[in-house]
Amino acid sequence: MIDGLFKYTFIQNAFIASVLVSIICGIIGTIIVEKKLVMMSGGIAHTSFGGIGLGYFLGIEPIIGALIFSIGASLGIAHINRSTKTNSDALVGMFWAIGMAMGILFIGLTPGYPPDMTSYLFGDILTVSKLSIRIMILVTIIITSVVVVFFNYWKAYLFDDEFSKTLGIRTLFLENLIFILIALAIVMLIKVVGIILVIALLTIPPAIAKFLTYNLKTIMIISIAFGMLFCILGLYVSYQFNIPSGATIIIIAGLTFFLFSSFRKL
Amino acid sequence: MSLVELKDVSVRYNSVVALESINLSVKENEFLGIIGPNGGGKTTLLKVLLGLITPCEGTVKINDDITLGYAPQFTRFDTDFPITVEDVILTGRLPSKFKIFHRYSKEDLSLALDIMERVDVLKFRHRQIGRLSGGQKQKVLIARALLTDPKILLLDEPTSSLDSSAKDEIYNLLKDINKNKTIIMVSHDIGVISSYINTVACLNKKLHYHGSHTKLNKDKLKTAYGCPVELIVHTETPRTFVSKNEEE
Ligand SMILES: Nc1ncnc2c1ncn2[C@@H]1O[C@H](COP(=O)(O)OP(=O)(O)OP(=O)(O)O)[C@@H](O)[C@H]1O
Ligand SMILES: [Mg+2]
């Protein structure tokens, strides 16, 4: 039956997208969980909605708009945080809501029929195009190599950025780099699970992996494996029962997490 | 020859004044103990020296070739992070210039093992950092700072949760290290450290005293602690003040 499914190109694409997204999620998800950037990542995802709206309004590819907005938001939040030392939660909340508001405004201003936004909000892995796959491959390679090549630096920076700075390591560079990677990752994930569900796919696999190990590298690898399991299983289930893929993936991930956490308590 | 020179350094956090016109110079091979009440600006002063905080006024002079090793105050420590004791300590050997595919060398590891042995955390080397007791974690931070093999070692209350025998061990180790390194240490253990340090600084927003601690007997150190400056200024041994640190 699965063989039969693979005849369809869109299933193939969805499968490849699942694998790529899992790699991105496993690596970036672990970083945002360990660096306590979960709220910030949620904020970036929602801010990118403004970019999607702008894309429709200007008639350019909405994902390009999302990319600009999410990179802008992540560097913006990081910069304002550094310079004013304000409460970053409140700041993230502001970006979050203003981004969404701008998206709705731009779409309202776009002439003609309002476009269907559900695939951006909730994702649709079955509609991932060949071009999207190519871009995803590129982003996956960038994220993986940046993290692998400087792994010891990331480990030191994530654990204790102040100490790394006293060693003379350029932590500002690392910080900006990681925020750009987070923004890239989030935009890639929007296609698959959507703005609203992104945060779950980033955080659930590392949360489960942390039950099993306390080695940073192993957490990333286990997270990737769980991500693949959730995405591929979710894809299959959603196709079989004709239900939304993004939501299915997240529900499966969530159930697995609760299974693990209750086993852990026993 | 002074290694470090602070001139009229002031630091404010928004409206809170943490340091006010600090003038301080630290000489080569000095073992400086910084004392002062909570919120007196001790941590802030170390961070200024480390370049983690840029003062809003004044200048900090430290030569580029002087390396600094830092053991942070342990309260601000995230210990949930997935990293082992050994990996924490090894970061002390991380080169400051980015090296691709960096791996710690055999030498790095053997130096780390040696230091772990000396501060007595060797048996925990593969444990996650959060699964240590407070005192053990502090020893790890000290070990990491030592492994950087710096010219100046800056320690922020390094022994606050150590038992007295561990304290003695650490201080003896520091005294040994002090033979060829400068050490700046924040501490509340005035009584204990006075037999190891050679100068003391009393900090409470302003630098109230910096000079030889032997000229300042234990009782006076105790009064000096959390002190308004007058208490020290009116001692019988005003000669001991480093003139440029005098307030009036
Ligand atoms: N990040 C910050 N934001 C705002 N105020 C701060 C910050 N860090 C320190 N302060 C304030 O600056 C002053 C000096 O703080 P600092 O941490 O240097 O004191 P300390 O002497 O190290 O105290 P302790 O003995 O408790 O460690 C305090 O009044 C503190 O409230
Ligand atoms: Mg302090």
Side-chain angles (χ1 to χ4, degrees), chain B residues 191-210:
Chain B
V192 188
I193 62 170
S194 56
S195 50
Y196 300 93
I197 60 175
N198 46 48
T199 53
V200 66
C202 305
L203 192 66
N204 191 358
K205 278 189 196 170
K206 298 182 180 182
L207 184 63
H208 291 314
Y209 175 82
H210 174 213

Side-chain angles (χ1 to χ4, degrees), chain B residues 42-43 73 156-157:
Chain B
K42 305 178 296 297
T43 300
Q73 191 169 5
D156 198 345
E157 298 186 30

Side-chain angles (χ1 to χ4, degrees), chain A residues 41-59:
Chain A
S41 305
I44 295 171
H46 285 76
T47 309
S48 69
F49 190 72
I52 289 170
L54 184 67
Y56 275 112
F57 180 64
L58 297 177

Side-chain angles (χ1 to χ4, degrees), chain B residues 2-240:
Chain B
S2 51
L3 282 184
V4 170
E5 241 184 280
L6 298 190
K7 266 213 175 95
D8 288 320
V9 166
S10 299
V11 174
R12 279 185 293 271
Y13 295 102
N14 301 318
S15 57
V16 182
V17 178
L19 294 175
E20 203 179 328
S21 357
I22 304 291
N23 287 299
L24 174 74
S25 58
V26 182
K27 294 187 186 58
E28 188 145 15
N29 290 350
E30 189 167 331
F31 193 154
L32 169 64
I34 299 177
I35 60 170
N38 294 130
K42 305 178 296 297
T43 300
T44 307
L45 182 66
L46 290 193
K47 288 189 177 175
V48 167
L49 294 169
L50 288 157
L52 294 172
I53 293 176
T54 325
C56 47
E57 280 150 39
T59 53
V60 183
K61 248 203 280 182
I62 302 179
N63 269 348
D64 279 346
D65 58 335
I66 291 176
T67 50
L68 304 167
Y70 177 42
Q73 191 169 5
F74 138 88
T75 44
R76 62 148 263 271
F77 214 69
D78 166 26
T79 47
D80 186 39
F81 193 85
I83 191 168
T84 60
V85 167
E86 183 172 293
D87 282 350
V88 171
I89 293 174
L90 276 171
T91 50
R93 295 281 296 177
L94 196 60
S96 62
K97 291 237 165 60
F98 291 116
K99 293 223 161 56
I100 61 167
F101 297 111
H102 173 266
R103 289 277 170 278
Y104 294 106
S105 67
K106 283 227 172 66
E107 193 202 349
D108 294 337
L109 188 63
S110 79
L111 289 169
L113 291 175
D114 190 46
I115 285 177
M116 282 190 258
E117 174 92 70
R118 286 174 83 175
V119 301
D120 194 28
V121 292
L122 192 59
K123 47 188 174 299
F124 317 116
R125 58 190 273 225
H126 296 304
R127 251 197 234 174
Q128 191 258 337
I129 181 78
R131 298 177 189 184
L132 297 182
S133 76
Q136 290 162 346
K137 281 180 209 163
Q138 262 188 328
K139 289 180 181 176
V140 172
L141 296 186
I142 296 169
R144 179 180 67 170
L146 292 176
L147 194 63
T148 56
D149 193 26
K151 188 96 178 126
I152 307 177
L153 196 56
L154 299 105
L155 308 145
D156 198 345
E157 298 186 30
T159 57
S160 56
S161 36
L162 299 194
D163 60 51
S164 55
S165 83
K167 269 180 194 171
D168 283 341
E169 268 169 50
I170 296 291
Y171 289 137
N172 281 321
L173 180 62
L174 291 177
K175 192 163 190 176
D176 193 35
I177 289 167
N178 181 231
K179 283 176 191 148
N180 50 25
K181 277 189 205 323
T182 307
I183 300 178
I184 301 176
M185 178 171 75
V186 173
S187 178
H188 290 293
D189 298 329
I190 318 148
V192 188
I193 62 170
S194 56
S195 50
Y196 300 93
I197 60 175
N198 46 48
T199 53
V200 66
C202 305
L203 192 66
N204 191 358
K205 278 189 196 170
K206 298 182 180 182
L207 184 63
H208 291 314
Y209 175 82
H210 174 213
S212 160
H213 71 290
T214 49
K215 313 272 172 64
L216 208 70
N217 70 41
K218 266 184 196 159
D219 282 346
K220 281 175 198 138
L221 267 169
K222 277 217 176 77
T223 19
Y225 195 66
C227 56
V229 67
E230 292 74 29
L231 283 177
I232 308 175
V233 169
H234 301 304
T235 53
E236 314 87 305
T237 50
R239 283 170 291 115
T240 60

